[in-house]
Structures are given as structure tokens and as C-alpha cells.
Amino acid sequence: MSDSSRNSAAGAGWGAAEPGEYKRLLPPRVQKISWLDPRTLWAARNGVLASWFGDPTGRTRSRWVAQREAAGAPADKVIRREETDRFSFMVIGDTGEGDEPQYAVVPGFLKVSQETDFAVVASDVIYPVGGADDYDSKFFRPYQDYRAPLYAIPGNHDWYEDLGAFMRVFCDDAPPLAPEPAPRPLTRAWLRSLLWHRPRPGDGQRLDQARELRSDAAQRSVQPGPYWAIDAGPIRIVGIDTGLLGTLDAEQGAWLREVSKDPRPKILITGSPLYVDGEHHPCPIDGGGSVDDVVRDPAHRYVAAIGGDIHNYQRYPVDVDGRTVQYIVSGGGGAFMHATHTIPRVDIGGVTERDFRCYPLRGDSLAFYGRLYGRRLRMRRFFTLTEEEGLAVVAERLGITPVRSPGGPVRVTRRMRLVASLLGAGGRPERTSRFRLPVRKIYTQLFSPSSVTYSPPFFKCFLRVDVTPEAIRLRCHAATGNRAQEIDPPIEDEITIPLI
């Protein structure tokens, strides 16, 4: 088994490593997304509009669900598979930018996924706005050699064109929704409709041709809608659609409570993680209550909740009335990397630094961003930190022992501390100023989306989940873009969840 980032710098992908074979998988023309391009930001405006003028996704989702039920989809939205009591599946989140970092995940994903029964894409299948013509290079082409069904739950980016392309691809080529009556003039809904982003005329003309890349009968999957449950072997997997703003409408909330009454152990797959960046986000349900209320109810037997949206890996083993629920962030499937070095010292829900896991390691994240902005600002000598220096300064700020032992003694200097501060590195809660939280939020929202690089290490990840009647084994595998990690994808985290 190859080293992981927790064992060595080479295992993290640093050094003069041999690049992987992923570039041969790339389409002839790669259209790179710039999240600093005003045109991209304008096309992705619907989330902001929903927060200003009211979120229409609950009503739109209800119409999609009604259309699918009228077409014969099961009303309980349960996909009943025929797996034995022992089976395996993959989880990969926030995939579709269609560039080198996404394709760098594919070789390792295909190797680890051998003999798995299906896979789930957890949030944001397609960037930037979920357009139908983007599915060719950002979904069908990269996963054409995965020989099993792929299910998905939409993320906020899939909703930027009212979910039309997502429904066509995953829900039996669902036809477009009939137009709604025009809203009354001068209302909030009217203002929203004037500015709302909609699909381009003719979008999706290449979709039928793209489907041929995953046309084998063994790859076929049909979902009852944007949210669903999968009954497989001894467990039930529940996927929920958190829309544009990370909430559930009342109709979906009622379904979640009902489908959770099944006596089997359950895993929740959600577009918005419930624990992330050292914070608790329970995900409100319209009309009262939250998704986490449902997960915490012992009668529902949830053992894990896996969310996308944030583009890295995090795990919080939370004690809930004497039982452990694994809250996981798994959004490192291909999109730009959200920094982990901005995560403060963890102390939430009974989870401390001793129990918390993340990938990339905070020190590697800080070194990655230091090198990135050193190049971009032409201040390499100031911003650049070695991987050992990144680990050391993060450990000092958090008051912890470095996760990976450095190759030799590292003295933390004033420059290193200043670089860590400028790049938003987290610290101990008792030392967190009022200034720190806004800086961390700004860093996550502004700097991380501009962090895409096109050379390794990429610090991507995906999950393999192996299920038996006795236990669930969950492994987080890394994808750096280097050949060594393609041949033998490192295991960055591994847990066994008992079912009996």
C-alpha cells in the first residue's frame, strides 16, 4: 500500500513525481472555467437572486416530482436494487469542471471502483450552471469506463438552470416543465424573473450523442426525481436535494421523515454537509425542524451523513446520545480545492482535533496556496512555504502536534506566521478575533474559487463504501494527479461503522 499524505510528503504528491496518465483522457478542447470572470459570475447569479428575492426551488422541485410521478415513477421515490447482503459503492462529489483536476481523479477512481455495484455523485455534477451541453465533457466522457450505474443528487450549480439538464440526464429524459404564469408586476417574484438565468436556446443538442459514451445496459440508471432512496442489501441510502440555498422544502421534508422510518441502518447523502469547517449546519426544513433532527433520531438509525458542496474531505465522528454518527464532507471530486488550512481548531459536537480528519492536511493546503499566490502576485520568495513549513506553522497556530513528521527541524519564523495570517489560516478558538471569521469566510468564497492549477498535486478525493450485514467500511482515497497515486490511490482516512 502506498504512503498517504499523513505518512510522507511524497504520499501527498509533493516533489519531482512522475505526472499521471490522466491527460490522455482529456477531450481535444478543454474549456477552463474562471471564477473571477464576470461572465461566469453573472451566469451563476441565481443563488444570489434567490437569497434576495425569495427561493423558488421548492415550488420548481415539487413540479418536477409531480411530473415524474405522472410518468410512472414510484411515489415513495425508492430505488430497489438487487444487491446481496455484501456489496460496494462509490461516492464522489462536486465533479464537473471538465478540466485537468477533474480528469486527474478518473484513473484512481476507476481502479478503486472495480467490482463496485454503483456510484453516487454528491452535489454539483456540472459547473458552472448545470448546462446540458456541458454533460459531454464533464460527465459522460470522464466516467465512460465506469461499468455500473451512476446516481446523483443535484447541488446548487445544477439548479442554476432550474434543474432541466439534470432531470434529462438522470430522470429518464424528463421533458421541460410547462411555463408558470407570469408573476404580478413590481413584486419580488417579478423582479427575480426579470434577472433569472435560463438555459441558452438550443442547449442540449449534443446530449443524445454524449449519452453514447455511457450507453451500455449495465451503466443505465433511472432516478424517480432529484431526491430518492436506494434500498441495497442491508442498508438504505437516502439522497436529499438541498437546492440553491441549502434548505429543504416542506414536501421533501415530509418525505424524508417518512422514508427514514424504515428499520434498516441508513446513510444520508446531501448536497450541503451538516458539519463543515468546524461548524454545525443542521439544514432547516420549511415549516420547522431540520435534516439533522431526522439524522439524530435514534429510531431512524442513521450511521453517517455525507455531504458535498465544499471541495475537500472532512470527517466529524459525533456522539449522539451514546451512538456515533459519522458526519463527512466529500466534495473533492474534481472542482477547485476549498482550503482546509482555514479550518480553526476543531471543538464541536464533542469532536476535538484528536478525532477530526481532513484532506488535504491543513499544512499541505497552506503550502499549496502559498505557492499559488506567490506565483500570481510575483512574490514567490515571500509567500512560498515548503510542505514542512506549512505543517509546522499550522501546528503552532492550532496548538497541536504536526500530523506528518517533518524531515528535519523546522523553525517557525515571523515571515511564515505572517504568510499564514494573510492566507487565512485558522487558529485556536480562544485566540480568534472578530476579524478572523470574516477573513476566513472571504477566503473561502473569494480566494478558493480562483485556486485551480493545472499541474499536480491536485489534492482530490473520492470514497469507496463496502457494506456487509455486520459493518460498513468507508475509505477516502486521494487523487493527486501523480502516477504513483494513480497506480495505488492512497487511503487518507478509513473507518469501520458497526451495524449490529
Side-chain angles (χ1 to χ4, degrees):
M1 183 181 297
S2 64
D3 277 353
S4 73
S5 70
R6 304 181 72 85
N7 306 125
S8 71
W14 296 114
E18 180 185 359
E21 298 292 320
Y22 63 90
K23 286 195 174 184
R24 65 181 176 81
L25 305 174
L26 288 165
R29 295 182 61 186
V30 177
Q31 186 176 359
K32 294 179 170 62
I33 297 173
S34 171
W35 292 102
L36 299 180
D37 187 333
R39 293 170 297 181
T40 302
L41 298 175
W42 178 243
R45 63 189 178 272
N46 284 0
V48 175
L49 295 176
S51 65
W52 288 353
F53 302 116
D55 185 2
T57 55
R59 186 176 65 252
T60 305
R61 182 187 297 115
S62 181
R63 296 173 67 215
W64 280 122
V65 168
Q67 182 197 82
R68 291 290 294 131
E69 290 183 4
D76 62 4
K77 302 167 188 63
V78 176
I79 302 165
R80 292 173 172 86
R81 296 185 54 85
E82 297 180 356
E83 269 75 38
T84 64
D85 282 349
R86 300 174 184 271
F87 74 98
S88 304
F89 68 99
M90 305 294 291
V91 179
I92 185 168
D94 298 84
T95 52
E97 289 195 0
D99 53 9
E100 282 91 336
Q102 177 177 6
Y103 280 82
V105 178
V106 174
F109 177 85
L110 292 176
K111 180 158 188 174
V112 172
S113 67
Q114 292 178 23
E115 299 182 357
T116 57
D117 296 274
F118 59 90
V120 177
V121 181
S123 182
D124 289 339
V125 183
I126 300 294
Y127 293 94
V129 293
D133 281 336
D134 285 334
Y135 271 86
D136 183 353
S137 61
K138 300 176 184 181
F139 177 76
F140 289 107
R141 180 181 290 272
Y143 311 118
Q144 61 183 311
D145 292 327
Y146 180 64
R147 309 308 298 173
L150 268 162
Y151 302 98
I153 57 168
N156 57 313
H157 287 265
D158 300 305
W159 268 101
Y160 286 163
E161 291 189 351
D162 290 336
L163 212 63
F166 180 98
M167 296 297 293
R168 289 183 64 182
V169 170
F170 294 102
C171 298
D172 208 22
D173 211 12
L177 291 175
E180 284 195 290
R184 290 181 299 164
L186 304 180
T187 61
R188 295 172 70 206
W190 178 78
L191 288 170
R192 184 183 63 221
S193 69
L194 292 180
L195 299 171
W196 200 250
H197 172 80
R198 294 177 177 83
R200 301 183 307 273
D203 187 41
Q205 292 182 354
R206 301 195 302 269
L207 196 52
D208 287 340
Q209 182 180 355
R211 291 181 205 268
E212 293 300 315
L213 296 170
R214 280 186 52 84
S215 60
D216 189 88
Q219 297 173 307
R220 178 172 169 76
S221 62
V222 176
Q223 298 178 190
Y227 57 93
W228 41 258
I230 296 175
D231 283 350
I235 68 168
R236 170 169 280 188
I237 304 161
V238 179
I240 59 173
D241 169 20
T242 54
L244 282 171
L245 303 181
T247 62
L248 259 63
D249 61 282
E251 180 180 310
Q252 185 180 183
W255 170 86
L256 174 63
R257 293 183 176 103
E258 185 63 31
V259 82
S260 298
K261 294 177 182 177
D262 184 273
R264 280 169 284 201
K266 298 172 191 70
I267 296 174
L268 181 74
I269 310 287
T270 168
S272 298
L274 304 181
Y275 279 84
V276 60
D277 294 345
E279 299 172 352
H280 183 210
H281 298 271
C283 188
I285 299 173
D286 288 351
S290 71
V291 170
D292 203 29
D293 291 339
V294 177
V295 170
R296 287 169 175 266
D297 188 329
H300 296 158
R301 298 190 66 192
Y302 280 93
V303 297
I306 304 171
D309 190 52
I310 300 300
H311 306 166
N312 52 47
Y313 174 81
Q314 301 173 44
R315 179 168 65 84
Y316 302 80
V318 177
D319 181 88
V320 179
D321 299 326
R323 62 191 179 93
T324 300
V325 178
Q326 300 287 346
Y327 290 88
I328 295 169
V329 180
S330 184
F336 65 84
M337 185 187 88
H338 276 125
T340 57
H341 68 263
T342 60
I343 302 172
R345 180 170 174 146
V346 170
D347 185 6
I348 188 168
V351 180
T352 65
E353 284 291 326
R354 183 185 63 184
D355 310 304
F356 172 69
R357 294 290 183 273
C358 70
Y359 176 79
L361 298 179
R362 291 172 170 112
D364 288 330
S365 172
L366 181 60
F368 174 92
Y369 276 87
R371 297 178 190 196
L372 174 69
Y373 283 101
R375 290 195 304 269
R376 290 188 176 173
L377 299 176
R378 299 183 181 180
M379 300 176 67
R380 292 175 187 253
R381 294 187 64 182
F382 175 73
F383 273 104
T384 299
L385 302 176
T386 67
E387 52 271 25
E388 289 84 3
E389 289 172 340
L391 290 169
V393 69
V394 163
E396 180 188 79
R397 292 176 71 92
L398 297 177
I400 61 173
T401 303
V403 174
R404 184 174 72 229
S405 299
V410 177
R411 184 174 69 89
V412 178
T413 65
R414 290 180 64 184
R415 179 189 69 87
M416 292 160 57
R417 294 186 183 105
L418 181 56
V419 169
S421 294
L422 290 173
L423 294 180
R428 283 171 270 185
E430 65 271 17
R431 296 186 178 181
T432 299
S433 66
R434 293 181 180 180
F435 180 63
R436 171 61 50 204
L437 235 108
V439 166
R440 183 159 60 87
K441 295 293 186 185
I442 291 170
Y443 197 92
T444 300
Q445 297 298 323
L446 181 61
F447 290 145
S448 287
S450 66
S451 69
V452 177
T453 61
Y454 300 104
S455 59
F458 293 122
F459 297 113
K460 304 305 175 195
C461 61
F462 54 88
L463 307 182
R464 174 168 172 142
V465 185
D466 299 295
V467 181
T468 70
E470 297 78 29
I472 294 171
R473 181 189 183 199
L474 186 149
R475 288 171 286 172
C476 172
H477 288 268
T480 68
N482 289 323
R483 182 160 173 74
Q485 282 84 25
E486 284 185 354
I487 294 172
D488 189 8
I491 298 174
E492 291 292 334
D493 190 26
E494 179 174 2
I495 51 171
T496 298
I497 305 171
L499 297 182
I500 55 175

